[in-house]
Structure formats: structure tokens, C-alpha cells
Amino acid sequence: MSKKILILPGDGIGPEIMAEAVKVLKVASEKFDLGVELEFDDLGGAAYDRYGVPLADETLARAREADAILLGAVGGPKWDTIDPALRPERGLLKIRSELGLFGNLRPAILYPQLAEASTLKPEVVSGLDILIVRELTGGIYFGKPRERRVLENGERQAYDTLPYSESEIRRIAKVGFDMAMVRGRKLCSVDKANVLASSQLWREVVEEVARDYPEVELSHMYVDNAAMQLVRAPKQFDVMVTDNMFGDILSDQASMLTGSIGMLPSASLDIDGKGMYEPCHGSAPDIAGQGIANPLATILSVSMMLRYSFASGQAADAIEKAVSQVLDQGLRTGDILSDGCTRVGTAEMGNAVAQALKNL
Ligand code: NAD
């Protein structure tokens, strides 16, 4: 049976990196007989320009029908001044919440070939392999009420709300424990339970879920300490589970341990394992249109898609091996360039991975 994949290139560098990911996906499909069927649509600013909204109803319907979704990135200065409710990022938040994609997996793996590209000392980061599990459809990014108002004294005030229900915490905690079970069996839950009521409930529920996973060593850490530990001694972590906002920040921080945000894929899964796959980075308007963006995060997102949504571990492993071989050849986009390596553009990098995959 064929597998339907909805491709949403998005804005900025989105279309450039997506072209390379599609190239690699087509090679993988042929090589491993995956029978994928690709459909293309717009999200974010591109959707606003085409449909007048950042996520059109017909696009959402296509996303519901698809077996998996592959997304580039959204946003850019062109849409910074439009009605906030229609901004590109709103389309992204909406598709995540409408599809119930609550479980965001963000691996931060340092390819040994890139140890020099990290701003941290090689001995601190070499061998790094962390998985951040971020809650994606709750918390402060979705909480209501959120409001901006003018107080009686004429001062402007704005506030957001940070709600978490027991069931939301329980299901993301389970994802964290399940991932720990197939990795190093260590889970660190990150919160701010010394200050926030929502974090106190978070910690309580995580402790309850832990009773079903006696083999996993659970620890708790305040988010400020976690941020510090991530740069001090990141290899102490195996799996980290945390809420939407803390996960947003910590996963970007973790990405820099690996040299560049241009290397990091992510998966967002619903309760049945259906997923949307995308690089962790944004639309990088500063380098869009120049053909220099690193497509590897998007290519590695294809690998995650084949692993988690299509149970094609063999094809996923092959893509990761092809990426590793290309790095061995010394090919680097500007963001991961170091002495003695060859600088290549987006398409050259994509072509090299596709070729390495063909040759495996
Ligand atoms: P960004 O991730 O787009 O860029 C941060 C820095 O990393 C920039 O210097 C950029 O050039 C560089 N970079 C990012 N991806 C790269 C790649 N593949 N190769 C080489 N360099 C890369 O974050 P930002 O600048 O804060 O945001 C830009 C826009 O992207 C904003 O509109 C923001 O809202 C949006 N955004 C979208 C997503 C998403 O679609 N998931 C995520 C974050 C930000």
C-alpha cells in the first residue's frame, strides 16, 4: 500500500532545503521499495499569500489524510507586520494542535566529524546523544486567557496563561519514559516546581507515571539548572522531558552543542504515532535565496519519518549512514565549516547525500 506524504516547504530557506530532502526521500523510496506518494501544499507566509490564511482548511484536510507530513520552516520579515492572528507561526501552531501532535522529539546528536564545529570543547561534547521530549500542544503557547490591555492608569499590560492538565502531562511523560526504555534508561524531567503551580503538578504526575517504569532512572531538575548543566556537562543526559516553552528554549540550546541548528531534525507525534517531521531551525531569512542553507536537518527529518511513521528502520539507518559518509568526505555547508573541509551549497550537499545513499 502506498504511503501518502504531505510536503509543506514553507517560507525562507524552506523550499531550498525541502528540494534536497525530497531528492533523498525519492532515492530511499526507490531503493527500499517504500511506495511513497508525495503531495505538496503551502503553510505559513506562503499560505497567507496564496489562501489569505497561514493554514487553509483544505491544507489541514490534506494533512489529516496523509500518513505523515514533512515541513520546511515558516516565517519571515515579509509577514512580521500583518495581523498577529494571521502570522505564519500561527499556521504552525494550528496544524500541531489540530492534529494533536503533542509529542515533540528533538535529538541532539554530535556527529564525531563535527566536534570542531561546536563552540564547546570537543571533550565536553564528543559522543553527545541527547533526546529532548517536548510537550507541544499545551502550556503557555496555547493557554487562555492571553491578553493585552490598557490599565486604568493608562499603562499597557499583557499576560499569558500556563495551564497543564493531568492527562496532558501523563501522555508526554509516557513518551519520555518509552524513549528512555529504548535508549539509556535515564530520564530527566525539567520543570520550575519551586515557583510554578503547573510545574508542581507536572512533577507529581511524572512521579506517578514513573511507577510503571521501574527500570528507568528518573531525576528532576529546575529549568535554570538544566540550562546550565547542558553547557557544563551535557553528556550526563540521556532523555529529557519538559513542557512546551522550556523545551523550545532548551532544545535550541542543545542544538548549539552539536555545532549548528542546521543539523537537527525533529518529529512531532500524535497518540497513534502519526507524525509531522521538520528541522528544528526556522526559515533563516538572513540566508534565504542564496543556496547556502544546510539541508541536513531536513534530510535527517526524512530519516525520522521513515523510522517512526513507516517503521522502515533500515531505510532510516541508510539515510543517516549516507549523511555520515558525506561528512567523512569533508563536505560542509557554511554553518558547519571548519579548516580543511570543502564548502558546498544546499543543492551540492543534497546531491552528495542522495548519491551516497544510492551507492550504499
Ligand atoms: P532561524 O532558525 O531561522 O535562524 C537562526 C540562525 O540560524 C540564523 O542565523 C540562520 O541563518 C541560521 N540557520 C538556521 N537554519 C539554518 C540552516 N539550515 N543552515 C544554515 N544556517 C541556518 O531562527 P530565527 O532567525 O529566530 O527566525 C527566523 C524566522 O523563522 C522567524 O520568522 C521565526 O518565527 C521563524 N521560525 C520558524 C520555525 C519553524 O518553522 N519551525 C522555528 C523557529 C523560527
Side-chain angles (χ1 to χ4, degrees):
M1 223 178 67
S2 78
K3 299 171 182 78
K4 243 195 231 172
I5 301 174
L6 178 64
I7 309 270
L8 301 170
D11 311 318
I13 60 168
E16 299 167 49
I17 52 179
M18 188 58 80
E20 304 316 309
V22 167
K23 236 179 237 173
V24 173
L25 174 58
K26 284 183 175 164
V27 173
S29 178
E30 207 161 287
K31 193 175 175 82
F32 295 94
D33 205 13
L34 302 176
V36 299
E37 200 184 300
L38 308 185
E39 207 181 348
F40 291 79
D41 206 338
D42 288 314
L43 181 77
Y48 175 80
D49 290 348
R50 179 168 160 195
Y51 299 112
V53 285
L55 171 63
D57 290 345
E58 58 218 88
T59 311
L60 183 57
R62 280 192 195 112
R64 287 191 204 283
E65 266 172 36
D67 297 299
I69 301 145
L70 188 62
L71 167 68
V74 301
K78 182 178 172 194
W79 305 280
D80 275 353
T81 48
I82 63 173
D83 175 356
L86 295 175
R87 280 185 59 153
E89 295 78 6
R90 286 278 139 199
L92 185 57
L93 294 182
K94 186 171 174 194
I95 196 170
R96 286 172 179 165
S97 71
E98 286 286 332
L99 297 181
L101 304 173
F102 71 94
N104 187 211
L105 311 183
R106 294 188 166 211
I109 297 170
L110 183 78
Y111 279 81
Q113 301 94 324
L114 298 183
E116 290 295 320
S118 174
T119 45
L120 271 75
K121 293 184 192 128
E123 63 268 28
V124 175
V125 287
S126 68
L128 183 81
D129 183 356
I130 301 176
L131 178 67
I132 297 186
V133 177
R134 166 188 171 196
E135 201 290 324
L136 202 58
T137 53
I140 200 162
Y141 293 172
F142 293 93
K144 291 206 172 88
R146 54 191 295 154
E147 199 190 356
R148 193 184 149 121
R149 60 189 175 186
V150 180
L151 298 175
E152 274 175 15
N153 66 4
E155 204 185 351
R156 286 167 297 169
Q157 187 194 52
Y159 62 90
D160 300 279
T161 306
L162 201 178
Y164 266 113
S165 67
E166 190 176 343
S167 57
E168 285 175 307
I169 303 169
R170 195 172 298 279
R171 66 183 185 176
I172 194 68
K174 278 187 180 164
V175 174
F177 280 103
D178 285 340
M179 290 293 147
M181 282 297 286
V182 296
R183 290 175 44 102
R185 301 197 168 188
K186 272 171 66 182
L187 179 67
C188 179
S189 171
V190 177
D191 61 37
K192 189 72 184 167
N194 49 344
V195 177
L196 300 175
S198 55
S199 276
Q200 285 151 14
L201 179 65
W202 179 280
R203 198 173 272 222
E204 222 171 279
V205 175
V206 170
E207 284 286 348
E208 288 163 17
V209 176
R211 291 186 206 128
D212 296 331
Y213 296 88
E215 296 99 326
V216 176
E217 184 193 315
L218 171 68
S219 60
H220 300 278
M221 200 177 271
Y222 297 137
V223 63
D224 40 350
N225 187 22
M228 194 172 76
Q229 295 300 330
L230 263 179
V231 285
R232 193 187 71 85
K235 283 190 275 182
Q236 69 183 284
F237 298 112
D238 174 22
V239 182
M240 301 173 93
V241 64
T242 191
D243 83 0
N244 202 343
M245 181 166 62
F246 298 156
D248 190 4
I249 298 166
L250 291 180
S251 59
D252 266 27
Q253 189 188 350
S255 75
M256 277 322 291
L257 304 175
T258 71
S260 169
I261 198 164
M263 291 300 297
L264 293 183
S266 78
S268 308
L269 306 175
D270 75 2
I271 197 88
D272 302 313
K274 172 172 167 166
M276 182 161 85
Y277 298 84
E278 56 181 304
C280 286
H281 59 74
S283 57
D286 54 333
I287 57 166
Q290 298 175 37
I292 59 171
N294 185 347
L296 293 179
T298 317
I299 289 172
L300 291 167
S301 299
V302 170
S303 157
M304 284 188 94
M305 177 173 74
L306 300 181
R307 192 182 302 287
Y308 292 110
S309 280
F310 301 146
S312 306
Q314 206 191 356
D317 287 346
I319 292 177
E320 285 161 22
K321 195 164 173 196
V323 167
S324 191
Q325 279 187 2
V326 166
L327 294 175
D328 280 339
Q329 291 161 20
L331 303 189
R332 304 279 190 275
T333 42
D335 57 309
I336 50 173
L337 192 65
S338 55
D339 288 348
C341 293
T342 310
R343 187 182 192 127
V344 293
T346 311
E348 278 170 284
M349 184 60 106
N351 289 341
V353 176
Q355 193 57 48
L357 182 60
K358 264 186 207 158
N359 294 347
L360 278 178

